[in-house]
Amino acid sequence: MHKAIFVLLLAVACASHAAGGRVFVSNERDDTVSVIDAATNKVIATVPVGKRPRGVGVSPDGSEVYVAVSGDNAIAVVDPEKLEVVRTFDSGDDPEAFAVHPNGNIYISNEEDAKASVYNPRNGEKIAEIEVGIEPEGVAISPDGSRVIVTSESTNMLHIIAVPEHEIVANIVVGARPRAATFSADGKIAYATSEISGEVKKVDVATGTILGRMPLADDKAKPKDVLLSRDGKRLFVAGGRANSIFVLDADTLEVLDTIGVGKRVWGLALSRDGKRLYTTDGVDHQVSVIDTESDDVVATVPVGKFPWGVAIDD
Amino acid sequence: MSPSPARSFPASLHVCLAALCLVLLSASSSSAALETRQVRIGFIGASNGDAMRGASQGIEEANAQGRFLGWQYELVPLADAAAARAADVAVIVADAGPDALRAIASAVAPAAVINVSAADDTLRAACLPNLLHTLPSAAMRDDAEAQWRHKHADSRATARAWHESFRKYAAAQLNRRYETRHGLPMSDVAWAAWAAVKLVSNTIATHGEAAPAKVHDMIRGDIAFDGQKGADMNFRDTGQLRQPLLLVDGDTIVGEAPVRGVADPGDLDTLGLAACAR
C-alpha cells in the first residue's frame, strides 16, 4: 500500500518533470550559465557561477545542477528553483568535464594532474582519486553505474574504471586525442570520439576489442561530444569545426545524416524523451535545438559567450 | 643476553626469504595480468642538449602510457653509427649533422632513424629508405614565411616548429609539462625529439609490436599523430613529418601555416618538398 502510493507519487513527480525542463548552458567566456526554458526555447535566467565554467551536470533527482568552474578549481552547485549558486566546493586542479553517477557522486577529470577524482557533491568530500593517462578529458558512466570511462587525450586511451572499487580494469587504445565517450544502455558497448584522428570508435567494454571505426569524411571535423539516442539505434557526434552534428548508425557506424548547426559545435544534451537534442555552438554563442525525428534544427537560442557544456533537468 | 650471530642470521634470512616470496608473488600475479615488455630507444647526440631533453620528455610520456599496457621505455645513449649498429634498439633518435645521419641510417637499416635537429633540404630530397625527420626542413619554413608575407608584406615573422608561448590545441599542457621537468622553454629541436619518441610509443601502443623493422613500417604507415599542434601528422615518402608551422614575430605567435587565405590550412603539403622525385 505504502509502496503503491510511493510509486504513484514518483510517477506524478516524473510526469511533472517531463512536462518542461530547463536547459543549463555554461558560457566559458562570460562566467555564467544560461538557463533555457525547454518549452519555449527562451533564456529565462543568466546565472553568474565563477571563472571559466565548462562541464555541466544535473543530480539524479534533479534537485541540483553542478558546474565545473575551471578558473576557480571548483564545482559550483546551482539550485534549479532559485537559479543561483548555493554553494561551491574545491574539485582539484582545473576541472573540465565530469559525469554524475546514479548514486549522486560526480567523477571529474583533472587535466593537469593526470587523475580522475570522485566527489560527493552533497558535502564536497573527495571519495577517491584514480591515476590515469596524460590530459584526462571526457568522462562517461555506464547506466548501471558499475563502470566509468575516462579518456586521456595525450595518451590516446579509454580507461575503464570499476565502481565502487575505483580500480582501472582495462585500458583501450583509440585514435589520437580521445575527447568524449558514451555507453550503450546495457553498458557493454562504448563509443568514443577522437579529435585529431577525426573518428569515432566503437569498443567492447569487457574485452577492450575495437568493434568498429568510422573516420568522419569532413576533414575539418574535430569530433567532440557524443551521445546515443534513447532507443540506442543512432549516435550523435558533435563535429566541432565541421559545424554540424553527424548522425551515425550505432550498429554499423555508417553516417546516416549530417545536421548543420552553428560554428564550433562541441557540447550535446538529449531530453529525457529523446525528442530534442541541444548543441552548444561555441563561436556562434548559441544553442541549437534539434528535433530528432526529422533531424531539423527547430530553434537557435542566443546564449552567453562561447557556450561549452549543456545539461537538461527534465 | 645478546642474541648470537648464529641465531640472528637465519632469522633475518627467513624474513628476507619471506619478503622475496612476497615480491615474487606480487610480481607473478601482476605479470599474469600484464607482462611488461621493454622498448629501448637509441639516442645519438649531445647528452645535455634540447634533443636529449625532448627525447627524455617523450620517454616519460611513453611510460605514462606504457604502464597501462605493459610497455616500458628506456632511452639508450649511443656514441655513433657503429654503436647504433651493435645496439639492440627499436628505433634511433638522432641529433646529428647530415653526414652523420646518412652514416647512421645506412648502418642500422632497416631500423628507422629519426632526425630531430637537421633542417637540411638535401637530406629530404635524398629520400633515404629509413631516415625520417620530425624537425621541419628549411624549405618548409621558407614556404611558411612566403605564405605569411603574401598576406603581411612587411612582416618579419619567422617560421618555427614550436614555441614556448604556444597554447592552442593543448600546446599549453605540453609546454607546462616540459618546463616543469626541465626548467627551460621547449625549443623546436626539443619538440621534434619529443615528437619522435611519442609517435613511436603511440604506434607501439596501437599495434602491440616493437621489433625494429616493424616499428619502421608502422610509423611510416597510416598514423594520425597528435603533435599537440591541432593537426593529425604522418610521414611523407621523403621521410619528412607533415606538420603545421608557427609564425613568430619577436616572442609573439602571429599566425599558423599553411596560412589561411593563401593556402588550404588543411593541406600540409604546401610546405616544403611534398614528394620524392620519380
Side-chain angles (χ1 to χ4, degrees), chain B residues 5 48 51 84 124 139 150 155 178 212 218 222 259 267 273:
Chain B
N48 188 29
R124 279 73 176 176
H150 195 80
S155 173
Y178 185 87
M218 294 186 303
D222 182 23
V259 177
D267 186 1
L273 178 66

Side-chain angles (χ1 to χ4, degrees), chain A residues 107-156:
Chain A
Y107 287 72
I108 307 177
S109 58
N110 294 109
E111 186 172 41
E112 303 295 339
D113 294 343
K115 279 176 184 159
S117 42
V118 188
Y119 284 85
N120 176 347
R122 290 165 291 278
N123 58 18
E125 267 176 34
K126 189 195 289 184
I127 295 166
E129 205 171 68
I130 305 125
E131 288 187 21
V132 293
I134 302 172
E135 295 173 29
E137 170 83 23
V139 185
I141 300 179
S142 64
D144 70 358
S146 68
R147 291 287 183 274
V148 174
I149 291 176
V150 174
T151 72
S152 52
E153 289 188 307
S154 194
T155 305
N156 299 348

Side-chain angles (χ1 to χ4, degrees), chain B residues 101-272:
Chain B
L101 286 167
R102 285 172 188 268
I104 299 160
S106 134
V108 305
V113 176
I114 308 179
N115 158 33
V116 300
S117 62
D120 187 301
D121 288 310
T122 58
L123 279 177
R124 279 73 176 176
C127 292
L128 298 176
N130 63 328
L131 183 59
L132 305 173
H133 319 270
T134 50
L135 191 78
S137 67
M140 289 168 73
R141 295 207 311 261
D142 290 347
D143 287 344
E145 289 166 13
Q147 287 181 9
W148 186 250
R149 279 197 303 275
H150 195 80
K151 258 175 104 171
H152 309 273
D154 300 330
S155 173
R156 291 185 183 171
T158 53
R160 297 271 304 269
W162 188 252
H163 194 266
E164 72 223 51
S165 68
F166 194 31
R167 295 193 55 78
K168 285 166 75 176
Y169 314 118
Q173 279 75 20
L174 175 57
N175 271 320
R176 191 176 301 118
R177 290 200 294 274
Y178 185 87
E179 286 196 36
T180 302
R181 183 180 158 94
H182 300 285
L184 287 168
M186 190 175 218
S187 68
D188 292 39
V189 166
W191 177 84
W194 166 85
V197 175
K198 189 105 174 187
L199 71 86
V200 165
S201 61
N202 278 344
T203 309
I204 290 172
T206 304
H207 296 281
E209 295 189 66
K214 187 72 191 169
V215 167
H216 182 200
D217 278 355
M218 294 186 303
I219 62 179
R220 286 203 91 137
D222 182 23
I223 62 170
F225 173 59
D226 172 23
Q228 312 216 180
K229 297 207 273 185
D232 59 313
M233 302 183 192
N234 50 30
F235 287 103
R236 294 176 183 156
D237 65 353
T238 63
Q240 174 66 53
L241 187 69
R242 292 185 174 91
Q243 59 189 286
L245 299 183
L246 307 175
L247 278 309
V248 181
D249 190 350
D251 252 346
T252 307
I253 298 168
V254 292
E256 291 164 43
V259 177
R260 190 179 300 275
V262 180
D264 174 357
D267 186 1
L268 299 174
D269 282 348
T270 62
L271 306 176

Side-chain angles (χ1 to χ4, degrees), chain A residues 4-48:
Chain A
I5 290 172
F6 177 73
V7 168
L8 189 67
L9 284 172
L10 197 68
V12 170
C14 289
S16 67
H17 261 299
R22 274 133 341 141
V23 182
F24 296 84
V25 181
S26 60
N27 301 307
E28 187 175 358
R29 302 275 177 89
D30 266 356
D31 303 341
T32 58
V33 164
S34 298
V35 185
I36 299 168
D37 180 341
T40 62
N41 290 326
K42 297 273 191 295
V43 172
I44 53 170
T46 302
V47 184

Side-chain angles (χ1 to χ4, degrees), chain A residues 256-272:
Chain A
L256 302 172
D257 207 348
T258 303
I259 309 167
V261 291
K263 284 183 191 150
R264 306 283 173 86
V265 53
W266 46 62
L268 297 176
L270 195 61
S271 62
R272 190 175 295 273

